[in-house]
């Protein structure tokens, strides 16, 4: 195992422990230099990183190294060559000084991460609508779906889809600007300071396709919202495509002006829900195909059963399994997966998946009371509601059949497995049922996002 492989295994673990932004900012740009009996030497981009990691994350890194490599090591940081960071973070770097042109004009192609293409995007029931809307916009920009507004929790593929639209546009010879609401704000402030408002306007007006990531950044920033409003109107009038990403639907952007929110709803609004077991398996299969080491189906299935909420965690888990398999000279089996993740499974359960939340959300969807779901009274429609509930309890909370039976007051678990079968087989042929389950799952996660 090379130092980099060992460090990758440590990073896989840290990715699951740390907040996404912290991981992306502080750990993603690091790489291993050397590893000997007592020291792990890590390259970082500059002295600031070295000091920050040393003060804030040394303990956690040390602990993780010890748990992954099985021995205590001293961690040292050294300034080294930086790995190219994600385009996203490079682009949000604030530039409030005045270079020759305050507003850097778009270099459309280099703004896009090369692997964020439609070809690399795994379509599953959690993202099928967002994917097809994105594809439609990419092929017919500025036409019916303008703007396209994509929302969903962190790490569910919004930026990936956004940039996939960009790649398709660039390939068709269109000009594309991928930006974030933060970059938009910085550009605007810089253009005021340096009297280059025209450059600013042209940067955001002229591209055929404008992709704006992380729109909630505008919340509470009235002047920038005003500017965004004008940018939006001018582009919309000229039938130039706008695509916006957000972690919440427009209506939940509470400190955004109403007129902006209503404009966001002019075109099409689509959500991406966290993947269910099948969705997670689809993604794991696709990602594992690119790994140097074969991961058998039973290991992938065992991983897919763990309720990771986003694709980043899923990717991290897969990397961790292959790294651990290598370290321990074992094949990456389902058993190894169970051993590695035994401890973190309960921690993954979030409030979104508590049984109470599920019953509450189902009740809201069908406009009945939670009590009516928990009691056995009622006719056929009540049965369907209870079946949908037990399906979600199983799917989202990984509850055992007998726990579900107790919770919903069934006689025994055979009634639960009957209900489960009904929903599972119904999902493959009944479009309405599919939409219902999809919508409740989506609400479940956006309600607590
Ligand atoms: P978001 O912007 O929603 O926070 P990203 O688009 O940054 O999420 O996705 C996080 C990671 O997961 C990226 O590496 C991305 O390529 C990957 N990813 C997300 N969804 C999918 C998918 N459906 N198929 C393949 N990879 C995905
Ligand atoms: Mg994103």
């Amino acid at each position: 195992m090379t130092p980099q492989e060992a460090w990758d295994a440590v990073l896989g673990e840290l990715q699951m422990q740390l907040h996404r932004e912290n991981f992306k900012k502080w750990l993603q740009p690091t790489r291993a230099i050397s590893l000997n009996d007592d020291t792990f030497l890590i390259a970082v981009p500059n002295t600031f990183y070295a000091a920050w990691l040393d003060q804030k994350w040394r303990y956690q890194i040390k602990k993780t190294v010890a748990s992954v490599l099985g021995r205590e090591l001293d961690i040292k940081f050294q300034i080294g060559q930086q790995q190219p960071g994600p385009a996203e973070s490079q682009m949000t770097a604030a530039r409030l000084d005045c270079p020759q042109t305050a507003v850097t004009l778009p270099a459309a192609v280099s703004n896009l991460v090369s692997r964020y293409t439609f070809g690399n995007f795994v379509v599953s029931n959690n993202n099928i609508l967002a994917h097809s809307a994105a594809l439609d916009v990419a092929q017919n920009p500025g036409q019916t779906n303008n703007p396209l507004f994509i929302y969903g929790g962190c790490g569910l593929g919004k930026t990936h889809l956004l940039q996939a639209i960009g790649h398709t546009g660039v390939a068709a010879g269109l000009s594309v600007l991928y930006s974030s609401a933060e970059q938009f704000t910085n550009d605007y402030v810089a253009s005021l300071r340096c009297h280059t408002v025209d450059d600013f306007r042209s940067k955001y007006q002229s591209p055929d396709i404008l992709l704006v990531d992380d729109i909630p950044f505008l919340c509470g920033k009235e002047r920038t919202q005003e500017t965004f409003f004008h940018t939006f109107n001018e582009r919309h009038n000229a039938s130039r495509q706008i695509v916006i990403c957000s972690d919440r639907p427009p209506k939940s952007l509470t400190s955004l002006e109403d007129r902006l929110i209503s404009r966001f709803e002019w075109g099409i609004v689509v959500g991406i829900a966290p993947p269910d077991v099948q969705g997670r398996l689809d993604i794991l299969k696709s990602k594992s195909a690119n790994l140097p080491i074969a991961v058998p189906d039973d290991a992938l299935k065992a991983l897919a059963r763990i309720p990771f909420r986003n694709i980043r965690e899923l990717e991290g888990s897969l990397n961790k399994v292959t790294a651990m398999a290598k370290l321990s000279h074992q094949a990456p089996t389902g058993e190894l997966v169970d051993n590695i993740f035994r401890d973190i499974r309960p921690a993954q359960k979030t409030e979104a998946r508590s049984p109470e939340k599920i019953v509450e959300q189902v009740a809201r969807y069908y406009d009945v009371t939670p009590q009516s779901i928990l009691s056995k009274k009622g006719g056929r429609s009540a049965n369907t509601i209870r079946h949908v509930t037990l399906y979600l309890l199983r799917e989202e909370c990984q509850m055992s059949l007998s726990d579900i039976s107790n919770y919903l007051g069934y006689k025994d678990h055979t009634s639960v497995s009957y209900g489960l079968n009904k929903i599972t087989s119904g999902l493959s042929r009944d479009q309405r049922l599919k939409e219902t389950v999809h919508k409740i799952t989506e609400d479940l996660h956006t309600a607590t996002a």
Side-chain angles (χ1 to χ4, degrees):
M1 160 164 294
T2 63
Q4 187 59 45
E5 283 166 347
W7 186 236
D8 284 341
V10 174
L11 286 179
E13 176 72 25
L14 285 167
Q15 189 170 8
M16 281 182 280
Q17 298 171 11
L18 301 181
H19 188 275
R20 172 192 164 211
E21 291 305 327
N22 280 330
F23 180 82
K24 198 158 103 184
K25 179 152 187 194
W26 299 110
L27 287 155
Q28 207 143 293
T30 60
R31 62 184 170 80
I33 298 175
S34 65
L35 171 63
N36 61 30
D37 284 346
D38 44 33
T39 310
F40 206 162
L41 190 59
I42 306 299
V44 295
N46 56 41
T47 45
F48 180 49
Y49 266 80
W52 189 275
L53 284 172
D54 200 44
Q55 283 182 20
K56 301 270 183 189
W57 304 110
R58 164 180 294 280
Y59 175 72
Q60 193 149 3
I61 295 174
K62 227 179 139 158
K63 213 172 66 182
T64 310
V65 167
S67 89
V68 172
L69 302 184
R71 60 184 201 269
E72 295 259 335
L73 285 169
D74 194 17
I75 314 292
K76 290 211 165 93
F77 301 107
Q78 183 178 306
I79 320 304
Q81 213 189 355
Q82 186 183 359
Q83 287 216 327
E88 213 178 341
S89 63
Q90 286 168 11
M91 282 179 291
T92 52
R95 291 202 56 101
L96 292 179
D97 50 343
C98 290
Q100 279 113 334
T101 50
V103 179
T104 38
L105 289 167
V109 186
S110 65
N111 263 353
L112 302 171
V113 177
S114 60
R115 66 186 179 87
Y116 286 177
T117 58
F118 280 115
N120 288 334
F121 191 83
V122 181
V123 185
S124 198
N125 53 1
N126 62 313
N127 57 28
I128 188 161
L129 277 183
H131 173 263
S132 57
L135 202 56
D136 181 62
V137 159
Q139 287 161 353
N140 310 293
Q143 294 180 25
T144 41
N145 296 327
N146 195 17
L148 165 62
F149 189 103
I150 304 174
Y151 70 90
C154 147
L156 293 181
K158 300 182 298 296
T159 299
H160 189 137
L161 270 186
L162 195 64
Q163 297 209 0
I165 298 173
H167 282 296
T168 309
V170 169
L174 300 177
S175 52
V176 173
L177 174 62
Y178 167 84
S179 188
S180 62
E182 183 176 0
Q183 179 72 52
F184 181 87
T185 309
N186 292 340
D187 281 351
Y188 174 57
V189 173
S191 77
L192 289 181
R193 187 184 287 218
C194 306
H195 310 288
T196 50
V197 175
D198 284 346
D199 286 349
F200 168 78
R201 204 169 279 147
S202 138
K203 171 175 177 178
Y204 286 92
Q205 288 303 344
S206 59
D208 299 307
I209 301 178
L210 173 64
L211 310 164
V212 184
D213 215 341
D214 300 322
I215 201 77
F217 187 83
L218 294 189
C219 288
K221 300 186 177 63
E222 281 161 28
R223 284 191 67 186
T224 319
Q225 279 181 39
E226 165 101 28
T227 307
F228 193 77
F229 178 75
H230 293 305
T231 307
F232 184 102
N233 288 344
E234 281 178 48
R235 291 191 60 88
H236 198 270
N237 290 341
S239 296
R240 291 210 189 92
Q241 183 69 45
I242 308 158
V243 189
I244 295 163
C245 283
S246 163
D247 60 355
R248 304 154 245 181
K251 285 225 160 41
S252 308
L253 293 165
T254 41
S255 42
L256 214 58
E257 285 180 41
D258 286 346
R259 56 182 188 164
L260 259 183
I261 293 177
S262 81
R263 269 163 183 74
F264 290 167
E265 290 171 335
W266 274 359
I268 182 169
V269 176
V270 279
I272 305 185
D276 59 10
V277 178
Q278 187 56 48
R280 293 196 289 268
L281 189 58
D282 292 341
I283 287 173
L284 286 166
K285 279 189 175 154
S286 151
K287 303 264 171 190
S288 68
N290 302 324
L291 293 174
I293 148 175
V295 184
D297 267 4
D298 77 314
L300 296 178
K301 283 186 179 150
L303 268 179
R305 280 196 294 272
I306 304 174
F308 292 117
R309 280 205 58 180
N310 69 50
I311 318 304
R312 258 188 222 105
E313 286 178 351
L314 256 189
E315 283 183 308
S317 72
L318 191 59
N319 293 339
K320 182 166 177 187
V321 169
T322 50
M324 290 298 266
K326 226 175 186 179
L327 265 178
S328 55
H329 306 289
Q330 293 181 50
T333 57
E335 202 184 333
L336 180 70
V337 170
D338 289 340
N339 281 336
I340 298 176
F341 293 102
R342 186 178 296 137
D343 298 337
I344 73 155
R345 285 183 71 146
Q348 293 288 332
K349 288 187 184 160
T350 63
E351 209 212 334
R353 297 195 194 90
S354 74
E356 296 76 20
K357 274 269 172 313
I358 287 172
V359 170
E360 193 185 302
Q361 210 54 252
V362 175
R364 184 170 305 157
Y365 178 86
Y366 285 105
D367 200 17
V368 296
T369 62
Q371 291 72 22
S372 72
I373 294 181
L374 296 172
S375 81
K376 277 175 286 187
K377 295 191 206 83
R380 265 184 61 193
S381 69
N383 272 340
T384 308
I385 298 177
R386 275 162 65 79
H387 288 161
V388 167
T389 311
L390 65 83
Y391 172 82
L392 289 170
L393 288 173
R394 179 76 172 163
E395 195 51 40
E396 295 284 310
C397 296
Q398 275 71 45
M399 275 170 82
S400 70
L401 298 186
S402 56
D403 283 349
I404 297 178
S405 161
N406 289 336
Y407 190 69
L408 292 180
Y410 281 109
K411 259 202 312 286
D412 56 37
H413 68 80
T414 48
S415 325
V416 177
S417 59
Y418 169 79
L420 266 182
N421 285 338
K422 263 199 103 160
I423 299 294
T424 322
S425 60
L427 284 175
S428 57
R429 50 189 159 71
D430 179 347
Q431 187 58 25
R432 238 180 91 194
L433 178 67
K434 210 164 145 181
E435 278 165 17
T436 299
V437 170
H438 179 77
K439 177 81 179 80
I440 298 173
T441 315
E442 201 178 272
D443 290 347
L444 203 56
H445 293 289
T446 43
T448 49

